[in-house]
Amino acid sequence: MFVHLPPTYWAVFTSPGPEIFRIGSVVIRWYGVLIAAAIVLGLQLSQHLATYRRIKPDVISDLAMWLVIGAIPCARLYYVLFQWEYYSQHLDQVATIWRGGIAIHGAILGGMLAATIFSRLNKVSFWQLADLVAPSLILGQAIGRWGNFFNSEAFGDPTDLPWKLFIPTGRRPLAYRNSAYFHPTFLYESVWNLMVLGILLALFFRFPKAKKGTLFLVYAVTYSLGRLWIEGLRTDSLMLGPLRIAQVVSLIGIGIGLLGLSWLYLLKRSLPDTKQAS
């Protein structure tokens, strides 16, 4: 997966390719396996955390189905909409999610919508659920970024740092056709996300009586801070005119997160909710 080099280098990451194996027309891809692993591990983590908040694990299992149904299609739709110039000419590829091309911000929006509906139907606190899901969400993002590695996508600008990512010629942007090594932004974000996970778990266990919504708001701020600077290194950002969409959304996430935390702890008020969990 990576090759150790002389002392002037730490490592060069080289993808073995997007496929694990192929049997006839059946193809098992790293991207799909990683998404499945993220869902399974995230579910187990949220169920474990739920026991500390007197929420039945079955509630989390039911919620997980809603989140998958809401998040994955929205993640793909979000990506396709901002790449519509391409997909309008390749409609047969709109649903080919296994080749990559999903946007985490679309997944978050879809998941929040699904969780809102679920919480209303089941008369449980949306923010309570959001706090239980936030650590699993960032864990899933840390795992999912390795799908970008195997697909040789979502990398940064050319670099000659002691750590770097080799990109095959066919996957390089035209402007960097003669550059072989790029910033491994998948690695930067995966490591950042694991640090955010550590922060969230520390808050969860250190402050068990924190106000509902605290963990999710902290997630919004800390994840967005990392995505803000990492996105600036990437060569394939989704754009809206001259703006990098992920950076704009990250700034919004930081703003909303800080406002929410101020509402909770400076104004000492509760967030609007579907229902206060017992």
Side-chain angles (χ1 to χ4, degrees):
M1 190 172 295
F2 63 89
V3 180
H4 289 290
L5 295 177
T8 53
Y9 295 95
W10 292 0
V12 170
F13 293 85
T14 304
S15 170
E19 298 180 5
I20 301 177
F21 62 84
R22 176 190 294 264
I23 301 177
S25 60
V26 177
V27 181
I28 304 299
R29 299 175 182 269
W30 281 109
Y31 207 97
V33 169
L34 288 168
I35 290 176
I39 293 172
V40 171
L41 293 176
L43 174 60
Q44 292 179 340
L45 175 59
S46 288
Q47 286 181 319
H48 178 69
L49 296 179
T51 61
Y52 289 88
R53 294 294 185 267
R54 297 181 180 178
I55 300 293
K56 294 181 179 179
D58 289 347
V59 173
I60 303 301
S61 298
D62 294 340
L63 173 63
M65 296 177 61
W66 284 72
L67 293 179
V68 170
I69 293 172
I72 293 181
C74 286
R76 181 60 173 177
L77 178 62
Y78 186 102
Y79 182 86
V80 168
L81 288 177
F82 284 108
Q83 295 279 38
W84 186 244
E85 183 177 352
Y86 173 82
Y87 284 103
S88 63
Q89 304 300 316
H90 301 83
L91 295 176
D92 60 312
Q93 297 182 24
V94 168
T96 56
I97 191 173
W98 53 87
R99 295 181 179 176
I102 59 176
I104 187 58
H105 287 131
I108 293 171
L109 291 174
M112 290 181 67
L113 176 60
T116 299
I117 297 172
F118 177 87
S119 64
R120 287 187 180 276
L121 291 176
N122 291 274
K123 296 180 172 57
V124 295
S125 166
F126 168 85
W127 293 110
Q128 179 85 292
L129 295 177
D131 285 345
L132 294 173
V133 168
S136 297
L137 176 56
I138 199 68
L139 172 62
Q141 290 174 249
I143 295 171
R145 274 303 171 197
W146 284 85
N148 298 139
F149 163 68
F150 288 107
N151 282 356
S152 295
E153 62 185 5
F155 47 86
D157 293 326
T159 185
D160 195 34
L161 289 171
W163 60 91
K164 49 194 178 182
L165 173 66
F166 173 77
I167 296 296
T169 303
R171 300 292 297 176
R172 299 172 196 168
L174 291 176
Y176 302 123
R177 185 67 61 170
N178 295 324
S179 299
Y181 301 103
F182 298 79
H183 278 286
T185 49
F186 81 91
L187 180 63
Y188 300 164
E189 189 166 334
S190 184
V191 172
W192 180 276
N193 291 345
L194 289 175
M195 290 191 296
V196 173
L197 173 63
I199 292 171
L200 295 182
L201 291 178
L203 289 174
F204 183 90
F205 290 108
R206 180 66 179 83
F207 302 101
K209 295 184 179 181
K211 294 185 176 182
K212 294 180 182 66
T214 297
L215 254 65
F216 188 80
L217 293 172
V218 170
Y219 157 79
V221 173
T222 52
Y223 166 66
S224 297
L225 283 171
R227 184 64 186 270
L228 184 64
W229 71 268
I230 294 171
E231 190 68 23
L233 297 173
R234 285 178 54 172
T235 60
D236 63 342
S237 298
L238 298 177
M239 306 294 291
L240 182 61
L243 303 175
R244 295 176 187 256
I245 294 300
Q247 288 185 317
V248 174
V249 176
S250 293
L251 287 171
I252 294 172
I254 293 169
I256 292 175
L258 292 176
L259 286 173
L261 291 170
S262 298
W263 181 271
L264 288 175
Y265 294 100
L266 294 181
L267 298 181
K268 301 184 184 302
R269 301 181 66 177
S270 298
L271 296 170
D273 207 343
T274 53
K275 184 184 186 301
Q276 294 299 318
S278 58

